[in-house]
Amino acid sequence: MSTSTEKLEREEKLEGIGCSRKRKEDPRFIQGKGNYVDDVKLPGTLFADIVRSPYAHARIKSINKDKALAVPGVHAVLTAADLKPLNLHWMPTLAGDVQAVLADEKVHFQYQEVAVVIADNRYIAADAVDLVEVEYEALPVLVDPHKAMDADAPILREDIKEKADDGKGAHKHPNHIFTWEVGDDEATTQAFNAADVVVTEKMYYPRVHPSPLETCGCVASFDKVKSHLTLYITSQAPHIVRTVVSLLSGIPESKVRVISPDIGGGFGNKVGVYPGYVTAIVASIVLGRPVKWIEDRMEHLSTTAWARDYHMTGALAADKEGRIKALRVNVLADHGAFNSHAQPTKWPAGLFSICTGSYDIPVAHAKVEGVYTNKAPGGVAYRCSFRVTEAVYVIERMMDILAQKLGIDKAEIRRRNFVKPEQFPYHTALGWELDSGDYPKALQKVLEAVDYDGLRREQQEKRARGELMGIGLVTFTEIVGAGPSKACDILGVGMFESAEIRVHPTGSVVARMGTLSTGQGHQTTYAQIIATELGLPSEDIQIEEGDTDTAPYGLGTYGSRSTPVGGAATAMAARKIRDKAARIAAHLLEVSADDLDWEVDRFKVKGVPGQEKTMKEVAWAAYNNVPDGMEMGLEATNYYDPPNFTYPFGAYLCVIDIDKCTGEAKVRRFYALDDCGTRINPMIIEGQIHGGLTEGFAVAMGQQMPFDEQGNLLGNTFMDYFIPTFVETPFWETDYTVTPSPHHPLGAKGVAESPHVGSIPCFTSAIVDAFSHLGVTHMDMPHNAYRVWRKIHELGLDKHE
Amino acid sequence: MIPSEFEYHAPHSVAEAITLLTQYPEEARLLAGGHSLLPMMKLRFAEPAHLIDINGIKELKGISEQGNVIRIGAMTTESELIDSALLNEKCPLIPAVARLIADPQVRNRGTIGGDIVHGDPGNDHPAVMLALDARFILQGPEGERTVPANGFFLGTYSVGMAADEILTAILVPVFASSTGYGFNKLKRKTGDFATAASSVVVQLQGESCADIRIALTNAGPCAFRAEAAEDLLKGQVITDALIEQAAQKVMAACEPDEDLRGDAEYKTHMSAEMARRSIRDALTKAKG
Amino acid sequence: MTKKHISFQLNGRPVDALVEPRELLVHVIREQLGLTGTHIGCETSHCGACTIDLNGDSVKACTVLAMQADGGDVMTVEGLADNGALHPLQEAFMQEHGLQCGFCTPGMLIRAYRFLKKNPNPSDEEIRTGMSGNLCRCTGYQNIIKAVKAAAEKMQSA
């Protein structure tokens, strides 16, 4: 047996980085033994249900609880008046605003929480909800954000109307939340004035909802004797929840235990703190019994955090060859009734300034203005890093539009403007440092794989026959892994991530992280990282997350930050252990640590074959035979504050055929090439990409949260809200290149959100492309049959002879 | 989403069920497949004090041939319609429609009778019944009567039967020779109601159309036949130009409500398009 | 409201429960009988997370009354494995990465179980239509299709 074969075999046994090993979390899920929040059953649990407003904007004249309280099995009915003495009727939001826990004198959106009923079970609670009598006085409703700052617009937030300035710039109007600008306005104007060509387009990115299959909920259990609160919660960020709960309730963090058990999908929706959680906690404190609150799907779609709702205007200035000279983007952001955007504190529009994309744009300016309307609060990163989806959408749309204006192919216009491989690290006009990339290679690989020229020829032939076929193309760059704590914090806590690893005497490992898997398979991938770093089989490595009593503090999982930040923390903690292990091995082998080489799972004395100690042997020694002066044990903790974000990228291509008679668009082909740097578990990566593409498909082709003029939400069940089934979902083709991140300890960048961010503009690109020969430059989402048919009809393409 | 309290009854015969209906006038609802009623009850749009579950009544089940008529028990599920060899051979329009209703699990519960008497314009069987010229057997305290599908559908949630009557069976004619059918349905996704759908049955005599029925789903307050379009085609050799004229007549007959599936104009155009496709499919099948 | 006594077979064992007539089967299985593998996703019979097998058919337990299971035969995901030996579908979902967050998985498995009983050798298209009553937000379905196919092949060859 050759040495290299033997080494490879040892490597394979570890099932470490690069291995498509099967998931460690699956056995419990396939046997119905997952433990989700609604599965938590504590003795004596009561059930909370919420009375909600039928109006989008109204004054509460009175609330009568008597009939509800008279129902046998009802323990309490709480309103804002009951929470007020505890100062819990309002709560802070992640965006520096406040949000009503229970409506305080006024309701600001339809389905807003007005009262909470606590009863023996969910049946009695539901009956009692019907019996709470609330008298409302309807007020004028503000639905259109464009009218929010009109002189005669109804003023929504009476609670903060006197507040002239909250540190985010002067308020132009009581409904104005912030104006955020970045870039060089003047230089951008000059570049536009001097440009050969200018293209401008208005586009609306609709309000959509992440809607994981499990809705939100919690079980709050307050022990009056110990003054201790245990909270099982559907949260992607349990540690931050603990901090918020402690700040709100006054219970010290040491007496608050937050547990995120198995979570049935998050997609950004489960980052914030919702009124339902707070009311359950209060009820448990008041009643001294566990209280469960589980929302139904309508409540989920109507009141928990949505995403997007950006009215964007993009403009590009270029020379005749299509080389971009400047970018300008203006956004009107509809934030709903309370500013509960999930984002790092200093970034009112998240990381929207990544809107220069994959392109070498000398100068740019972006401005985002946020306003209140009578809609539910939200604004989370729905399977994306904060506002990156919107940013990628606007730049990718504008690239197509510029290509169209100049008569240049949309692949070629991208090639001409790419940041070139040799330009990395590349400083964008809006302040980011792109870490690594090879955009031309990714694009070329995709074009060849799908025979792009052949598709264009086919399209020509079809157009000649009057058929509608569209080819969409996107070459996106994401910004993920928030983030460097100098730039990013949540409620003042820096956005580091943490890992604590313990190697036991027999070489098995327990490791705990501050992140929280909602389906991404952390128990598997983190184990693989440790396996490779420590040379111990991933099978013997147990990963635990989500219990604030045991896991180190972390900011949680969203914005594709687990691998870039949590994965880095894991690698760094493992390396601390390996360093110590090296010194123990040196002691055992009676050499200096400098004389040792690390090879897969063991330390070898340089130049002396056979003189070696495996990590397993070292682990045993760590508990009985360490060098003088060294502490026993083999464990380490790392809090990793990344030096930069990571910038995954990709090239996507989509082919769509449109039925001219019905407007139905059929995705014939979708080819997704992703570069997420080092690939830890290719099987999981591919699964994440399938899922992200499917969510992108849902957003682009059907998701929307429409409101009527009275602010009523239309379509808040799965009948209307588009979740594609097996039948509608296209077949996905995936591919990859590997351009490691130079600053990440493993070179990994994060992947789960790229397919969502990248695919959405690709679908739009394909839909518009089907009509581009007729002068169409843009069509807003969702591209459902009805809306596509409207365009067909407007162009007179559906004439029947 | 929790229903209000109700008294539950599970009769074993139609007579027993009718007695219960008579006993609790205004307060009772029949529970068939439950996939329309139970969600309405969970949303508390419906709060019957008495729920009469007729799933246990064996006489309401089954598909049989009686001369040139097929009798379908009202409590036959959509899945049973799809699996019925008899229907697939002799009245294939019904399984073709059932295959596109809701999803497999819902089709295991949802029944043809429930779909018909619910009176929802979005339900698919009413238009099919019109296209097939089906008859319904209704049983009430006074006994049994048979009524034609044509004229049964009166408006949204309104059908031509009394509150104490039960639809027990559906009678559909066995397809004669030179008869063809077409069914086309446009929907946003699996599980959705039709944006528009059209059921067509055509009978040819030589090259020309001896009889044709064109029925529409979700194009008005209830399922209806586009009779002007039918009249235009009857007795004619149906050409593309005639189909187009018929489609225009279909559009004139539509008065759909706007909803998230589209506005009235779109739905009207889609009804015409579904009718065009169904007429063509029906002709192809009739020509064998 | 007076409670009624019902009894039925649950995963091959007789069970009893006292239920209100309005109680939904999914609540009784999860809360009274303690089998929490069956999940609740949408409550309007669209998502299929609550799919169980009732008298040999896949049904959505959020839209069936517990009373309607009286005397019946119910199977949930907990009944798939045979004496600790995983069902080929369970193995295949693991092998083909047919699950992520796991919330839809029990409904998917129990639906696929009945689907393969009725169609032991399905095409991809047949799997897509046969499984179309179950929503997944994570996987994009592609690996679930692979898993169902792999299980079918294994069961055919067994």
Side-chain angles (χ1 to χ4, degrees):
Chain A
M1 194 185 289
S2 75
T3 325
S4 64
T5 313
E6 183 264 349
K7 191 176 133 196
L8 273 176
E9 278 176 2
R10 279 194 278 128
E11 227 167 63
E12 271 177 23
K13 271 190 197 141
L14 299 180
E15 295 188 307
I17 292 174
C19 165
S20 286
R21 65 152 291 151
K22 304 309 165 198
R23 297 202 324 165
K24 293 164 77 85
E25 33 281 271
D26 288 355
R28 65 179 187 275
F29 292 139
I30 55 168
Q31 297 181 78
K33 299 293 181 198
N35 185 37
Y36 301 88
V37 168
D38 199 11
D39 302 340
V40 172
K41 213 171 169 182
L42 303 177
T45 298
L46 303 174
F47 201 90
D49 201 350
I50 293 175
V51 178
R52 297 180 179 279
S53 169
Y55 295 98
H57 197 197
R59 206 168 295 287
I60 297 174
K61 306 276 282 182
S62 68
I63 301 177
N64 186 342
K65 315 170 180 177
D66 295 349
K67 285 183 187 164
L69 284 169
V71 176
V74 171
H75 294 256
V77 178
L78 303 176
T79 65
D82 300 304
L83 302 189
K84 210 168 188 169
L86 307 166
N87 202 25
L88 287 172
H89 54 318
W90 290 84
M91 62 179 182
T93 70
L94 290 178
D97 194 359
V98 289
Q99 171 175 358
V101 173
L102 292 172
D104 183 20
E105 295 176 20
K106 260 180 76 171
V107 289
H108 292 87
F109 63 93
Q110 194 194 22
Y111 297 105
Q112 188 180 341
E113 300 80 3
V114 173
V116 62
V117 172
I118 317 295
D120 279 342
N121 61 47
R122 64 181 92 214
Y123 285 77
I124 297 171
D127 289 344
V129 161
D130 269 6
L131 296 173
V132 176
E133 295 166 328
V134 186
E135 195 188 342
Y136 297 96
E137 177 196 329
L139 295 170
V141 177
L142 175 60
V143 175
D144 182 355
H146 294 96
K147 294 180 181 159
M149 292 192 282
D150 287 357
D152 59 350
I155 294 170
L156 307 194
R157 295 290 301 281
E158 289 168 4
D159 60 300
I160 53 167
K161 137 176 106 169
E162 305 306 326
K163 215 166 155 189
D165 194 327
D166 60 5
K168 296 190 181 70
H171 289 280
K172 296 191 240 176
H173 187 285
N175 294 333
H176 174 231
I177 308 173
F178 66 87
T179 298
W180 182 70
E181 290 184 69
V182 61
D184 190 334
D185 194 6
E186 207 181 303
T188 304
T189 303
Q190 281 169 9
F192 268 87
N193 289 340
D196 296 338
V197 188
V198 168
V199 285
T200 305
E201 192 75 52
K202 284 190 171 164
M203 56 195 76
Y204 174 50
Y205 204 132
R207 177 177 285 224
V208 293
H209 197 284
S211 223
L213 203 55
E214 177 201 37
T215 60
C216 297
C218 70
V219 182
S221 179
F222 184 70
D223 183 327
K224 281 193 167 177
V225 176
K226 296 180 184 159
S227 294
H228 184 280
L229 176 72
T230 306
L231 179 67
Y232 296 85
I233 187 169
T234 51
S235 177
Q236 299 173 228
H239 300 272
I240 279 290
V241 167
R242 184 182 59 175
T243 302
V244 171
V245 167
S246 175
L247 291 172
L248 276 174
S249 66
I251 307 171
E253 275 183 283
S254 52
K255 291 200 167 193
V256 179
R257 179 183 185 189
V258 177
I259 299 172
S260 286
D262 288 324
I263 305 293
F267 315 122
N269 172 263
K270 290 171 179 168
V271 171
V273 171
Y274 295 123
Y277 302 150
V278 178
T279 55
I281 293 167
V282 173
S284 180
I285 292 173
V286 170
L287 298 169
R289 286 175 64 174
V291 175
K292 181 184 272 191
W293 169 71
I294 304 289
E295 61 182 4
D296 66 35
R297 181 60 54 183
M298 283 174 71
E299 295 177 296
H300 181 72
L301 281 167
S302 309
T303 68
T304 66
W306 44 270
R308 323 286 150 80
D309 218 344
Y310 260 29
H311 299 260
M312 303 189 280
T313 305
L316 281 175
D319 66 17
K320 291 192 190 73
E321 280 73 46
R323 286 192 178 79
I324 299 168
K325 299 298 175 192
L327 165 75
R328 183 183 289 287
V329 184
N330 287 315
V331 180
L332 177 65
D334 184 343
H335 281 225
F338 308 106
N339 186 22
S340 324
H341 272 213
Q343 76 230 338
T345 310
K346 297 184 191 82
W347 304 91
L351 310 178
F352 184 76
S353 50
I354 194 66
C355 60
T356 50
S358 308
Y359 313 107
D360 185 8
I361 299 179
V363 59
H365 183 260
K367 179 171 134 185
V368 181
E369 199 147 66
V371 294
Y372 291 122
T373 59
N374 284 121
K375 298 172 195 165
V380 291
Y382 171 7
R383 203 177 184 129
C384 68
S385 205
F386 320 95
R387 296 298 183 186
V388 173
T389 312
E390 294 90 328
V392 168
Y393 191 81
V394 71
I395 183 64
E396 289 301 314
R397 290 304 308 128
M398 293 317 297
M399 292 305 287
D400 276 17
I401 292 163
L402 178 63
Q404 199 173 340
K405 171 100 173 186
L406 290 168
I408 298 170
D409 183 84
K410 59 171 101 173
E412 179 56 26
I413 196 104
R414 286 172 166 81
R415 258 187 229 114
R416 287 184 195 175
N417 287 287
F418 276 148
V419 173
K420 291 172 186 58
E422 60 273 19
Q423 285 177 282
F424 290 93
Y426 173 84
H427 292 266
T428 74
L430 296 181
W432 302 112
E433 185 190 303
L434 307 186
D435 58 351
S436 66
D438 190 340
Y439 305 149
K441 182 166 97 184
L443 174 62
Q444 197 53 35
K445 204 172 175 200
V446 170
L447 297 181
E448 283 168 16
V450 300
D451 182 18
Y452 184 65
D453 295 337
L455 285 170
R456 284 289 176 210
R457 280 194 299 276
E458 182 193 345
Q459 186 186 40
Q460 281 308 318
E461 290 159 19
K462 289 211 157 136
R463 283 179 174 172
R465 294 199 297 268
E467 292 170 31
L468 296 173
M469 167 186 165
I471 303 167
L473 184 68
V474 154
T475 48
F476 67 92
T477 291
E478 254 221 293
I479 171 170
V480 307
S485 61
K486 61 181 186 291
C488 300
D489 69 86
I490 299 278
L491 297 173
V493 182
M495 292 185 74
F496 58 82
E497 208 38 77
S498 61
E500 175 202 282
I501 305 174
R502 294 180 185 177
V503 182
H504 304 136
T506 55
S508 73
V509 174
V510 165
R512 301 188 174 95
M513 287 78 183
T515 49
L516 195 276
S517 182
T518 56
Q520 298 90 337
H522 290 177
Q523 292 180 349
T524 308
T525 46
Y526 284 152
Q528 290 180 257
I529 291 172
I530 297 171
T532 294
E533 292 292 335
L534 292 185
L536 295 167
S538 57
E539 191 58 37
D540 299 337
I541 299 167
Q542 182 70 26
I543 304 297
E544 294 175 4
E545 298 176 299
D547 183 341
T548 59
D549 264 14
T550 56
Y553 203 106
L555 278 288
T557 294
Y558 41 85
S560 273
R561 61 190 303 281
S562 294
T563 299
V565 196
T570 304
M572 297 307 273
R575 285 174 193 179
K576 280 192 197 173
I577 289 176
R578 202 169 74 197
D579 285 349
K580 181 174 181 182
R583 283 181 286 133
I584 298 172
H587 162 72
L588 297 175
L589 293 162
E590 297 178 348
V591 295
S592 147
D594 296 339
D595 294 331
L596 295 177
D597 278 333
W598 170 253
E599 191 197 274
V600 184
D601 58 354
R602 61 198 61 191
F603 297 98
K604 291 183 151 183
V605 179
K606 286 176 185 164
V608 189
Q611 282 291 302
E612 56 187 41
K613 287 286 172 194
T614 64
M615 182 58 87
K616 218 173 157 168
E617 291 169 309
V618 172
W620 184 256
Y623 293 86
N624 61 27
N625 182 10
V626 297
D628 285 346
M630 181 186 272
E631 280 181 48
M632 292 248 177
L634 199 55
E635 59 183 70
T637 301
N638 181 265
Y639 281 70
Y640 186 80
D641 185 5
N644 189 4
F645 293 83
T646 60
Y647 300 83
F649 62 95
Y652 290 179
L653 187 137
C654 172
V655 185
I656 276 179
D657 297 303
I658 295 174
D659 183 327
K660 276 201 309 187
C661 299
T662 62
E664 289 170 288
K666 175 102 184 141
V667 176
R668 187 206 310 172
R669 193 160 186 199
F670 198 102
Y671 196 94
L673 180 146
D674 276 282
D675 190 321
C676 59
T678 304
R679 292 154 60 86
I680 296 166
N681 183 319
M683 175 193 83
I684 287 179
I685 289 173
E686 179 151 327
Q688 291 295 311
I689 291 168
H690 289 170
L693 293 173
T694 305
E695 286 191 349
F697 172 75
V699 168
M701 308 307 277
Q703 291 187 341
Q704 58 175 333
M705 308 199 71
F707 292 83
D708 70 11
E709 286 176 358
Q710 291 310 307
N712 298 308
L713 174 57
L714 310 170
N716 55 359
T717 69
F718 277 173
M719 170 66 84
D720 284 315
Y721 192 68
F722 181 57
I723 307 291
T725 75
F726 276 88
V727 171
E728 292 80 37
T729 303
F731 179 80
W732 309 116
E733 296 171 78
T734 57
D735 197 352
Y736 65 95
T737 55
V738 178
T739 314
S741 168
H743 65 77
H744 186 280
L746 303 169
K749 289 187 169 189
V751 72
E753 295 167 344
S754 293
H756 184 103
V757 169
S759 69
I760 294 167
C762 195
F763 292 113
T764 301
S765 175
I767 292 279
V768 175
D769 194 65
F771 298 95
S772 62
H773 58 302
L774 304 168
V776 176
T777 53
H778 177 70
M779 289 160 71
D780 275 335
M781 297 181 287
H783 307 300
N784 58 32
Y786 168 46
R787 293 171 54 91
V788 172
W789 179 85
R790 275 264 150 247
K791 179 61 73 181
I792 292 168
H793 194 58
E794 179 193 312
L795 295 169
L797 303 175
D798 60 338
K799 294 267 186 314
H800 291 271
E801 303 308 330
Chain B
M1 287 190 203
I2 303 285
S4 305
E5 290 184 347
F6 54 80
E7 192 102 35
Y8 176 82
H9 308 271
H12 294 287
S13 69
V14 172
E16 220 182 304
I18 292 168
T19 306
L20 285 163
L21 279 176
T22 324
Q23 207 174 331
Y24 305 109
E26 313 283 310
E27 295 180 300
R29 289 288 296 264
L30 295 181
L31 178 67
H35 280 60
S36 296
L37 182 57
L38 286 177
M40 283 171 77
M41 288 170 64
K42 287 163 90 172
L43 295 169
R44 304 203 175 192
F45 295 154
E47 296 185 86
H50 295 268
L51 197 61
I52 305 169
D53 183 350
I54 54 175
N55 282 279
I57 303 178
K58 292 207 174 64
E59 59 193 289
L60 293 175
K61 290 252 177 202
I63 305 167
S64 58
E65 194 173 6
Q66 303 177 341
N68 58 355
V69 166
I70 298 172
R71 183 185 193 281
I72 304 170
M75 287 298 287
T76 305
T77 65
E78 305 294 351
S79 296
E80 288 162 348
L81 298 174
I82 293 168
D83 293 342
S84 163
L86 182 62
L87 285 176
N88 278 294
E89 186 193 343
K90 303 208 164 163
C91 190
L93 172 58
I94 291 179
V97 171
R99 269 190 278 275
L100 294 178
I101 291 175
D103 64 52
Q105 289 96 312
V106 175
R107 292 196 290 267
N108 284 335
R109 298 294 291 178
T111 64
I112 185 169
D115 191 273
I116 289 169
V117 302
H118 186 47
D120 189 327
N123 283 358
D124 289 300
H125 284 298
V128 178
M129 296 297 116
L130 293 173
L132 287 171
D133 213 7
R135 286 170 299 147
F136 303 144
I137 301 175
L138 307 175
Q139 201 171 320
E142 312 300 320
E144 195 176 276
R145 64 186 178 115
T146 303
V147 299
N150 202 1
F152 184 75
F153 303 102
L154 305 174
T156 303
Y157 303 124
S158 172
V159 293
M161 62 190 279
D164 56 4
E165 281 185 308
I166 293 178
L167 170 66
T168 56
I170 294 108
L171 305 176
V172 294
V174 170
F175 272 26
S177 58
S178 300
T179 301
Y181 71 91
F183 176 72
N184 283 273
K185 178 175 175 179
L186 177 67
K187 55 182 176 178
R188 294 174 298 180
K189 60 178 175 184
T190 301
D192 194 17
F193 289 109
T195 303
S198 175
S199 309
V200 170
V201 173
V202 67
Q203 191 176 11
L204 295 180
Q205 201 161 39
E207 289 291 294
S208 72
C209 165
D211 197 8
I212 185 165
R213 286 181 295 277
I214 303 168
L216 298 156
T217 297
N218 233 359
C222 60
F224 65 91
R225 272 169 58 183
E227 284 164 6
E230 295 171 358
D231 292 343
L232 189 84
L233 300 175
K234 274 183 214 166
Q236 307 287 322
V237 176
I238 300 177
T239 59
D240 281 351
L242 266 183
I243 291 175
E244 197 39 47
Q245 286 178 36
Q248 297 304 317
K249 299 277 185 200
V250 166
M251 296 226 286
C254 291
E255 28 180 29
D257 278 340
E258 174 169 2
D259 60 21
L260 294 178
R261 295 175 185 86
D263 64 7
E265 187 189 19
Y266 176 60
K267 290 178 165 186
T268 299
H269 277 83
M270 291 309 101
S271 296
E273 180 60 21
M274 295 303 109
R276 278 185 199 101
R277 293 178 184 191
S278 292
I279 294 168
R280 288 198 193 101
D281 290 351
L283 282 173
T284 307
K285 288 206 167 75
K287 287 171 186 163
Chain C
M1 185 69 44
T2 41
K3 294 198 173 183
K4 313 254 178 180
H5 174 255
I6 59 169
S7 55
F8 55 92
Q9 292 285 313
L10 180 57
N11 299 325
R13 289 179 186 186
V15 292
D16 292 271
L18 274 178
V19 303
E20 275 188 67
R22 62 172 171 163
E23 275 185 77
L24 301 166
L25 182 54
V26 70
H27 287 145
V28 172
I29 291 173
R30 287 178 48 81
E31 287 168 18
Q32 275 204 51
L33 302 170
L35 295 187
T36 55
T38 305
H39 297 147
I40 301 172
C42 75
E43 302 182 65
T44 54
S45 80
H46 288 96
C47 80
C50 64
T51 300
I52 58 161
D53 206 68
L54 174 62
N55 301 329
D57 280 325
S58 306
V59 301
K60 295 183 174 175
C62 76
T63 309
V64 176
L65 300 172
M67 298 293 296
Q68 296 184 293
D70 193 18
D73 191 355
V74 172
M75 182 173 162
T76 67
V77 67
E78 289 92 344
L80 265 184
D82 184 11
N83 264 332
L86 292 180
H87 189 275
L89 272 163
Q90 292 172 309
E91 290 280 6
F93 268 62
M94 227 173 3
Q95 287 302 315
E96 303 297 338
H97 189 29
L99 65 150
Q100 289 178 25
C101 82
F103 200 76
C104 75
T105 309
M108 286 284 175
L109 285 167
I110 207 79
R111 169 60 198 148
Y113 165 81
R114 182 54 54 189
F115 170 68
L116 288 184
K117 289 252 180 213
K118 299 204 170 172
N119 185 353
N121 187 22
S123 67
D124 283 15
E125 270 323 291
E126 286 167 341
I127 295 170
R128 283 189 187 265
T129 52
M131 299 288 295
S132 63
N134 293 71
L135 298 178
C136 173
R137 293 288 286 140
C138 297
T139 64
Y141 305 109
Q142 206 153 307
N143 287 345
I144 298 180
I145 295 167
K146 274 167 81 178
V148 173
K149 222 168 173 175
E153 279 161 21
K154 193 169 174 195
M155 288 158 75
Q156 289 279 77
S157 65

